[in-house]
């Protein structure tokens, strides 16, 4: 019999590209982009094309593993493994209290539309404040800034309506990531070229000429970590030349005068010198941005991790706010978000403030004055919460598709912390760097073996695009969905899980459809209804133009304004102006980038991705290579004040001088100089979460890391 073809979507990353999948004898044998899909038009990337290998690989875990008394892993039926975990959790909660249980949802968990809600509601049912997600390793300042300085309820200008765009340390052509207002990550390169053909002006700021920078009208090779100078300089130009939207500022913005005063410290020549830019280019970029009628400034991970994340994000908010880059009354809302119940009120006004980080009454960490961001604890306190005795010491950790050994700052400390736990449960289809250290590894189903909805990608869809996919194959062995794991644990522990729409049944396991309906209760359309529509549509996605919300007039009785002078800002800009971070003897800056052939550490075991690369090269400018006596293809020792790693030298004239550019999430805890060609190196060995961290979000310095380079 020939293959059966199913329409579904990829979940290797959050872009959720529409795919056709061929199945023979219950096995995925081929995948390709679905050319008929209205949003994706057949687009896929090299990672998604390896889904067959990922599902069928001989290295994949088909059963769970539990350590025996000798410390050896023993293959264990899923239900027995879960019963064992539940009894260990019961013992730990009874001995140390509920905060001793931590749950970390990493980027592998974000493949599953239900894993975030399942893991969060489990942690809440336990009563633990120790819930963590990769959002706080990633871009916590975006969440904080929106809550603190004002969120426009109707959303920002969308990319497709823009005539100008400013990307700061965001390379969507490789990452398939952008904040709302940035380029949707499906066919990002084609999308940008098409918009440029219609007149879009593109400005890109990045210390290396990234893939997207090569398409820019103005490319600003900003010095790592000096984005605040660049942005303050641009604001200075826009304010002093009167290029901002006076009417909008008068109607909706407080704190403008304080901002205008603070950026006076950065006239273009001062800003350009500090940011390592040409002054005329900086001025031209400011005029180009303000000269557009629609279009946003957006950032990626680079500047968020480069030491002044919150300040940078604040200044970007200021640019968009004073230039009024928002949807207005009567227009279609920016992102319809079919499955996002929290977004339903779309008004031409600022949302009420949300208490954030460190606010009164929010759960606090025991370290560095940090506390909950929304409902989660910042990742950069986890190692200390595990290692430090006292009330609330974490004794059990469940990691759902996270890889703390390579994702978190200070690898050696995180490894010590993981090894100190009484129970470390890793939910992972692979023997990852973290799975190897776990007490229990639970084997989950992979994406094509699950039902899912498109809730995690819909913030890029400018049309009301929605999809409920069926599982196209059954999982091997006794692998199950992550939501079933958390439900079963709660069931054994006698806990009640509660989702957005109310309590889950705990006497019988809910179906995924029931779970999803309850999870997004109040959404524009229920998952179960979208499911019926997709089934009737041959499995393809649905677009519901009639559901697109229009921006309503402001509600005068609940009127709020942006406050650009709230809390620490703009005072932090003044302190930045006075202090230049230098580390004697560490004159280079190591900056982070994404590997094209991996998604963080996901993809290391896959054959074709390995054939492309097994290491994360150190990209260095050829003149620096010559000056330092390094050799292309040779080894370089990269040292921070904290540790030394090794990298394979790769010459690139796209990288600014004085910079080394490397991907993270390579290199296990026991990787060394000798096997760096086969495994790569962990850039997180170089950093510590207790020095140079952002005082507001706790984000540690994971880009713009001061290092010195020597031949090895
Ligand atoms: N120095 C430095 N550090 C960084 C960054 C940086 O740029 N520089 N980036 C940061 C960012 S943005 C992030 S998001 C974090 C990521 O940090 P983490 O989320 O902790 O790390 P990942 O490598 O994404 O971990 C993914 C895990 O999921 C597993 N996995 C793969 N497929 C599946 C699946 O289908 N189901 C489940 N349950 N698991 C699966 C993988 O084997 C792996 O163990 O790292 C951060 N750390
Ligand atoms: N192929 C692939 N795709 C991925 C991932 C992956 O590992 N591989 N990871 C996923 C994850 S978890 C996330 S969060 C997103 C991230 O998505 P992006 O943020 O778009 O990630 P990058 O492609 O690393 O782009 C960040 C850029 O910031 C630049 N940069 C570094 N430091 C600085 C600085 O100080 N200032 C400025 N202005 N720029 C700087 C880097 O050179 C880089 O080009 O990508 C996701 N997509
Ligand atoms: S961009 Fe992401 S969702 Fe699309 S094919 Fe690649 S890995 Fe899959
Ligand atoms: Mo991330």
């Amino acid at each position: 019999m020939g293959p059966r073809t199913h329409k579904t979507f990829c979940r290797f990353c959050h872009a959720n590209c529409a795919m056709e999948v061929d199945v023979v004898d219950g096995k995925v044998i081929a995948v390709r982009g679905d050319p008929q899909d209205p949003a994706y038009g057949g687009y896929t990337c090299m990672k998604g094309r390896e889904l067959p290998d990922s599902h069928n690989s001989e290295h994949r875990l088909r059963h769970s593993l539990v350590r025996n008394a000798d410390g050896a892993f023993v293959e264990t039926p899923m239900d027995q493994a879960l019963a064992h975990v539940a009894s260990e959790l019961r013992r730990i909660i009874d001995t140390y209290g509920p905060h001793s249980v931590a749950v970390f949802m990493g980027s592998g968990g974000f493949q599953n539309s239900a894993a975030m809600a399942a893991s969060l509601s489990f942690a809440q049912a336990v009563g633990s404040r120790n819930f963590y997600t990769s959002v706080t390793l990633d871009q916590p300042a975006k969440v904080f800034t929106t809550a603190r300085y004002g969120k426009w309820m109707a959303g920002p200008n969308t990319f497709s309506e823009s005539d100008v765009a400013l990307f700061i340390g965001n390379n969507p052509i490789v990452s398939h990531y952008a904040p709302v207002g940035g380029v949707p990550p499906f066919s990002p390169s084609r999308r940008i070229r098409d918009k440029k053909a219609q007149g879009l002006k593109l400005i890109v700021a990045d210390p290396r000429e990234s893939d997207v920078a090569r398409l820019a009208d103005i490319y600003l090779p900003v010095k790592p970590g000096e984005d605040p100078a660049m942005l303050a300089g641009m604001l200075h130009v826009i304010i002093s030349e009167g290029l901002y939207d006076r009417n909008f500022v008068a109607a909706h913005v407080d704190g403008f005068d304080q901002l205008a005063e603070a950026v006076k410290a950065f006239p273009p020549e001062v800003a350009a010198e500090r940011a390592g830019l040409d002054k005329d280019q900086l001025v031209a970029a400011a005029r180009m941005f303000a000269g557009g009628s629609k279009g946003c400034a957006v950032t990626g991970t680079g500047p968020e991790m480069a030491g002044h994340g919150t300040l940078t994000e604040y200044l970007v908010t200021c640019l968009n706010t004073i230039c009024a880059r928002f949807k207005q009354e009567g227009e279609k809302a920016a992102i319809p978000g079919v499955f996002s119940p929290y977004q339903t009120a779309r008004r031409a006004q600022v949302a009420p403030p949300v208490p954030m980080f460190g606010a009164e009454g929010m759960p606090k960490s025991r370290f560095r004055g940090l506390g909950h961001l929304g409902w989660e604890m910042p990742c950069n306190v986890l190692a200390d919460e595990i290692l430090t005795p006292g009330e609330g010491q974490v004794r059990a950790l469940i990691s759902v598709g996270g890889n703390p050994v390579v994702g978190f700052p200070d690898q050696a400390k995180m490894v010590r912390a993981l090894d100190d736990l009484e129970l470390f449960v890793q939910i992972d289809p692979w023997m990852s760097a973290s799975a190897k250290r776990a007490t229990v590894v639970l084997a989950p189903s992979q994406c094509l073996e699950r039902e899912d909805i498109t809730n995690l990608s819909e913030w890029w869809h400018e049309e009301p695009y929605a999809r409920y996919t069926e599982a196209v194959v059954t999982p091997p062995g006794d692998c199950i969905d992550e939501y079933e794991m958390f439900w079963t644990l709660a069931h054994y522990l006698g806990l009640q899980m509660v989702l957005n729409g109310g309590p889950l049944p705990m006497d019988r396991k809910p179906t995924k459809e029931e779970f999803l309906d309850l999870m997004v209760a109040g959404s524009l359309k229920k998952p179960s209804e979208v499911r019926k529509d997709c089934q009737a549509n041959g499995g393809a996605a649905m677009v519901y133009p009639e559901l697109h919300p229009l921006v309503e007039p402001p509600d005068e009785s609940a009127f709020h304004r942006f406050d650009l002078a709230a809390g620490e800002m703009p005072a932090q800009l003044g302190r930045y102006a006075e202090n230049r971070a230098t580390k004697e003897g560490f004159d280079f800056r190591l900056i982070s980038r994404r590997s094209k052939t991996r998604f963080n550490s996901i993809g290391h075991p896959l054959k074709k991705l390995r054939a492309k690369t097994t290491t994360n090269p150190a990209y260095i400018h050829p003149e620096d290579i010559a000056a330092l006596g390094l050799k292309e293809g040779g080894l370089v020792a990269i040292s921070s004040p904290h540790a030394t790693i090794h990298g394979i030298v790769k010459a690139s004239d796209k990288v600014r001088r004085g910079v080394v550019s490397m991907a993270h999430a390579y290199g296990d805890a026991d990787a060394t100089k000798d096997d760096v060609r086969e495994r790569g190196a962990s850039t997180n060995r170089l950093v510590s979460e207790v020095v140079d961290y952002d005082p507001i979000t706790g984000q540690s310095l994971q880009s713009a890391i001061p290092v010195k380079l020597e031949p090895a």
Side-chain angles (χ1 to χ4, degrees):
M1 225 173 71
R4 249 199 93 183
T5 300
H6 302 262
K7 283 186 187 281
T8 181
F9 60 91
C10 177
R11 281 144 277 171
F12 200 121
C13 92
H14 39 52
N16 288 178
C17 296
M19 271 185 171
E20 290 182 344
V21 176
D22 295 337
V23 175
V24 172
D25 293 336
K27 268 194 162 177
V28 175
I29 56 153
V31 301
R32 64 197 157 267
D34 179 355
Q36 273 135 31
D37 185 87
Y40 297 86
Y43 181 79
T44 56
C45 81
M46 65 169 94
K47 303 186 302 304
R49 292 193 289 270
E50 296 316 307
L51 282 182
D53 186 23
S54 182
H55 284 66
N56 301 324
S57 165
E58 75 261 33
H59 302 301
R60 169 180 181 188
L61 298 175
R62 289 173 168 72
H63 298 281
S64 298
L65 302 169
V66 177
R67 279 194 205 275
N68 64 16
D70 302 331
F73 276 131
V74 178
E75 216 169 83
T76 307
M78 180 60 75
D79 198 55
Q80 229 172 292
L82 287 168
H84 171 73
V85 171
S87 88
E88 279 293 280
L89 287 174
R90 173 49 63 212
R91 177 185 66 77
I92 289 169
I93 295 168
D94 288 347
T95 316
Y96 308 104
H99 299 302
S100 64
V101 176
V103 179
F104 168 54
M105 153 97 186
S107 61
F110 282 102
Q111 302 193 354
N112 183 333
S113 56
M116 170 81 182
S119 52
L120 173 62
S121 66
F122 177 80
Q124 288 174 337
V126 168
S128 173
R129 63 176 176 244
N130 281 303
F131 179 73
Y132 299 80
T133 78
S134 46
V135 168
T136 61
L137 287 172
D138 180 324
Q139 296 160 88
K142 287 189 176 53
V143 185
F144 174 77
T145 308
T146 315
R148 191 77 171 96
Y149 296 96
K151 174 184 158 75
W152 189 253
M153 291 169 84
N157 291 153
T158 56
F159 183 77
S160 67
E161 68 181 348
S162 299
D163 51 16
V164 67
L166 167 55
F167 297 166
I168 304 151
N170 172 216
N171 188 29
I173 295 177
V174 168
S175 69
H176 302 98
Y177 165 83
V180 178
V183 65
F186 359 106
S187 301
S189 172
R190 182 187 51 76
R191 243 166 240 274
I192 294 170
R193 286 169 210 271
D194 287 354
K195 277 301 295 177
K196 285 197 59 166
Q198 295 163 23
L200 174 87
K201 296 282 180 235
L202 178 65
I203 309 158
V204 175
D206 198 309
R208 68 181 181 107
E209 197 182 336
S210 64
D211 306 66
V212 74
R214 279 162 235 169
L215 303 178
D217 294 283
I218 298 182
Y219 165 52
L220 301 169
V222 61
K223 268 191 193 164
E226 303 294 2
D227 300 273
M230 174 185 78
L231 292 162
M234 290 175 73
L235 283 161
H236 181 105
V237 173
I238 291 169
I239 293 172
S240 63
E241 296 185 6
L243 305 176
Y244 60 98
D245 188 326
R246 283 169 203 279
N247 293 336
F248 186 83
V249 169
H252 296 283
V253 184
D254 288 334
F256 176 82
D257 294 341
Q258 290 93 320
L259 172 72
E261 190 55 37
V263 300
K264 281 189 184 151
F266 290 92
E269 54 284 0
V270 174
E273 189 275 325
R274 173 112 184 225
L277 297 170
D278 177 76
K279 186 191 94 182
D280 295 339
Q281 288 281 89
L282 184 137
V283 172
R287 290 180 184 154
M288 185 180 276
F289 181 74
S293 65
K294 287 182 175 171
C296 297
V298 296
T299 64
T301 47
E304 279 245 0
M305 295 178 179
H308 304 284
T310 310
L311 177 59
T312 301
E313 217 49 63
Y314 161 80
L315 293 168
V316 168
T317 298
C318 291
L319 268 179
N320 291 327
T321 303
I322 69 169
C323 294
R325 298 302 159 82
F326 303 110
K327 288 285 187 184
Q328 298 303 326
E329 190 178 326
E331 293 182 319
K332 284 180 182 170
I335 301 297
V338 177
F339 294 128
S340 300
Y342 309 106
Q343 288 197 30
T344 37
R346 316 301 173 94
R347 298 187 180 280
Q349 75 184 87
V350 176
V354 185
M356 269 293 149
F357 268 134
E360 270 305 300
M362 292 187 82
K364 282 268 192 298
S365 158
R366 294 181 293 153
F367 301 93
R368 299 186 281 290
L370 297 167
H372 265 202
L373 166 74
W375 48 67
E376 60 194 279
M377 202 62 106
C379 280
N380 295 320
V381 300
L382 179 57
D384 279 328
E385 291 286 3
I386 296 172
L387 287 167
T388 314
E391 186 280 322
Q393 181 181 12
V394 171
R395 299 285 75 211
L397 172 67
I398 306 177
S399 152
V400 198
N403 198 351
V405 172
V406 296
F408 280 60
D410 198 341
Q411 187 178 56
K413 181 172 173 183
M414 182 43 82
V415 163
R416 259 191 292 128
L418 295 174
D419 293 352
D420 191 60
L421 290 163
E422 294 183 25
L423 176 70
F424 174 24
V425 181
Q426 171 76 10
I427 304 176
D428 203 322
W430 309 98
M431 249 314 151
S432 62
S434 295
K436 281 193 238 162
R437 315 196 89 82
T439 12
V440 177
V441 186
L442 298 174
S445 45
Q446 287 195 38
C447 64
L448 299 177
E449 300 153 359
R450 283 194 315 255
E451 293 164 29
D452 270 315
I453 55 172
T454 44
N455 58 328
L456 297 167
S457 55
E458 65 183 8
W459 55 320
W460 289 303
H461 285 280
E462 297 179 19
E463 300 302 322
Y465 177 101
R467 188 163 199 174
Y468 190 119
T469 185
E470 307 299 324
V472 304
V473 286
T474 42
D478 59 3
C479 298
I480 60 171
D481 190 309
E482 284 93 343
Y483 97 89
E484 298 178 279
M485 296 182 187
F486 282 103
W487 183 88
T488 307
L489 290 176
H491 172 74
Y492 283 147
L493 287 164
L495 299 173
Q496 176 65 58
M497 286 166 75
V498 180
L499 301 182
N500 190 41
L504 271 175
M506 296 308 298
D507 49 345
R508 58 160 185 96
K509 187 159 74 184
T511 62
K512 185 114 183 211
E513 182 187 283
E514 275 179 273
F515 188 98
L516 294 171
D517 270 357
L518 207 56
M519 176 178 99
V520 301
S523 61
L524 293 177
K525 208 168 178 84
K526 278 177 153 182
S528 53
E529 291 169 7
V530 174
R531 181 182 204 174
K532 286 201 197 87
D533 292 344
C534 290
Q535 283 170 343
N537 198 18
M542 297 302 300
V543 181
Y544 300 105
E546 70 282 5
L547 292 183
H548 205 143
L550 292 182
V551 180
E552 297 166 41
D555 171 1
E556 299 296 342
S557 70
F559 199 81
H560 300 277
R561 293 164 67 87
F562 290 99
D563 185 358
L564 302 183
E568 284 287 285
M569 306 293 171
Q572 237 191 42
L573 182 64
R575 289 199 290 281
Y576 165 84
E578 284 157 19
N579 295 307
R580 287 200 179 215
T582 48
K583 286 246 169 15
E584 192 96 24
F586 299 91
D587 298 332
F588 272 73
R589 291 287 177 275
L590 185 147
I591 60 170
S592 284
R593 68 192 287 145
R594 308 285 126 182
S595 171
K596 244 187 204 161
T597 63
R598 302 289 190 278
F599 187 81
N600 301 325
S601 67
I602 307 177
H604 286 319
L606 304 184
K607 291 193 277 291
K608 283 197 188 144
L609 300 182
R610 289 192 69 77
K612 291 207 160 71
T613 186
T614 51
T615 192
N616 49 340
Y619 294 90
I620 305 171
H621 194 279
E623 286 166 27
D624 282 334
I625 291 181
L628 292 161
L630 298 169
K631 270 208 245 5
E632 166 83 13
L635 278 187
V636 55
I638 304 166
S639 306
S640 72
H642 197 68
T644 297
I645 61 168
H646 294 85
I648 310 297
V649 176
K650 199 153 170 129
S652 170
D653 60 4
K654 307 284 183 218
V655 178
R656 196 188 159 100
R657 288 205 63 183
V659 168
V660 46
S661 161
M662 266 178 109
H664 71 296
Y666 280 78
D668 201 335
D670 58 358
T672 66
K673 177 181 171 185
D674 301 323
D675 57 14
V676 61
R677 285 175 205 279
E678 290 77 48
R679 304 169 84 185
S682 166
T683 53
N684 276 328
R685 269 191 213 177
L686 298 171
V687 284
S688 161
E689 81 282 31
V690 300
V691 292
D692 297 332
Y693 59 91
D694 187 298
I696 294 176
T697 61
Q699 171 70 49
S700 70
L701 193 68
Q702 285 174 312
S703 194
I705 306 161
V707 290
K708 66 175 169 226
L709 306 185
E710 290 154 309

